[in-house]
Amino acid sequence: MKAIRIHEFGEPNVLKYEDIPESQPGPGEVRIKVIAAGVNPVDWKIRSGYMELPLPMTMGSDIAGVVDVAGQGVESFQPEDEVFGKASPGEGGYAEYTVVNSSQIAQKPKSIGFIESAAIPTAGLAAWQSLFDIAGLERGQTVLIHGAAGGVGSFAVQFAKWKGAYVIGTASSKNAEFLKNIGCDEVIDYRNQQFEDIVGNLDVVLDTIGGDTLEKSWSVLKPGGFLVTTVASIPEEKPQKYGVRAERLMTQANGKELAQIAAIIDENKIRPIITTVLPLADAQKAHEMSESGHTRGKIVLRVAEDPK
Ligand SMILES: NC(=O)c1ccc[n+]([C@@H]2O[C@H](COP(=O)([O-])OP(=O)(O)OC[C@H]3O[C@@H](n4cnc5c(N)ncnc54)[C@H](OP(=O)(O)O)[C@@H]3O)[C@@H](O)[C@H]2O)c1
């Protein structure tokens, strides 16, 4: 099968389009014929060597496709099922076939295609777990989402709105109208405005940017408010100093939550935002785009034609 692999860490040109053997699913695992693979910043971070992982490795964290073989003991999925989910570390999703634990996948939303479904797993779960599992966002609360136009942010804005929260997002001005269309009540242009002078007394901040943005976010929370960051360690003294709670997200692969997200999509309440679709062989270009830090929504690689 074809796969995008790395044999060394480095720039996008270390991504190689290669032929490798397909893996066999073990007990509890399924093999999936991949139709589309989502691209996430963690992919280029891994490629660059931010994490010491064994090489060579197949890249890619997110997939949507069709179950090809169900391993021993798998009862919830069978061949021909249309599924989506997180790829297994090392196994990778930028490939024509991938093997995952069946707990990591769910039936794909019926109302959208494989390309849209492949955009969901990492970014959708990151947004869901940050807002609901960690911060416990509730109806009527106010949430500030930094990086609202990005992969995680564009899901977070829609989930928060669906929950009934008042949603404020930060983005550059070119994304203001887009963000209002997907559910932001207010958009702050981070290039020309200081969010810490505009908002305060917030219930939840979701930070997907880090650095100064994280540093300036402590003061805009109400006492007892919750800060979740997807990108940085929490400085030990800050939560106590500001009387707030804080946690760094580590997204968990979770098929049950993906099924919940699929149900909301099929109710037409939210939709994945995709701005770029490229063929699998163009993974280098996809990484260059993702690394720019200014893509709207998601980039997805088309691995095979939709079987329908
Ligand atoms: N810990 C975890 O488990 C986990 C899970 C998922 C993601 N993450 C991390 O979370 C981060 C965000 O992921 P992502 O997929 O959302 O990335 P992304 O799609 O690449 O984010 C791009 C977006 O960031 C916006 N942006 C850039 N600088 C900004 C700033 N200073 N203020 C506000 N918005 C800004 C851009 O908007 P403009 O074009 O308008 O500037 C763009 O829309 C990444 O670092 C990723 O690795 C971590």
Side-chain angles (χ1 to χ4, degrees), residues 154 300 303:
S154 60
V300 177
V303 181

Side-chain angles (χ1 to χ4, degrees), residues 33-161:
K33 177 176 166 41
V34 179
I35 309 291
V39 175
N40 292 281
V42 69
D43 301 348
W44 61 256
K45 291 179 186 177
I46 288 173
R47 190 212 70 224
S48 306
Y50 282 34
M51 297 155 226
E52 282 292 315
L53 294 169
L55 295 176
M57 68 180 290
T58 302
M59 298 298 303
S61 327
D62 291 347
I63 52 95
V66 179
V67 174
D68 173 48
V69 183
Q72 197 191 334
V74 174
E75 287 173 1
S76 35
F77 298 97
Q78 50 194 15
E80 305 303 324
D81 280 357
E82 298 185 348
V83 297
F84 74 123
K86 274 179 76 66
S88 294
E91 185 67 25
Y94 295 2
E96 288 179 318
Y97 291 86
T98 194
V99 168
V100 300
N101 192 290
S102 62
S103 64
Q104 292 172 219
I105 57 171
Q107 304 288 348
K108 141 185 146 359
K110 291 187 175 43
S111 56
I112 59 172
F114 290 96
I115 296 280
E116 292 86 351
S117 300
I120 301 168
T122 295
L125 286 172
W128 185 275
Q129 291 170 7
S130 296
L131 294 177
F132 304 140
D133 299 350
I134 297 177
L137 182 72
E138 288 175 8
R139 182 177 184 80
Q141 290 189 325
T142 299
V143 57
L144 171 65
I145 298 166
H146 290 302
V152 176
S154 60
F155 279 106
V157 166
Q158 296 182 80
F159 288 151
K161 193 68 190 171

Side-chain angles (χ1 to χ4, degrees), residues 8-26:
E8 58 183 321
F9 299 115
E11 298 297 313
N13 63 7
V14 300
L15 296 169
K16 303 295 178 200
Y17 187 53
E18 295 181 344
D19 287 297
I20 57 162
E22 294 142 20
S23 305
Q24 296 303 321

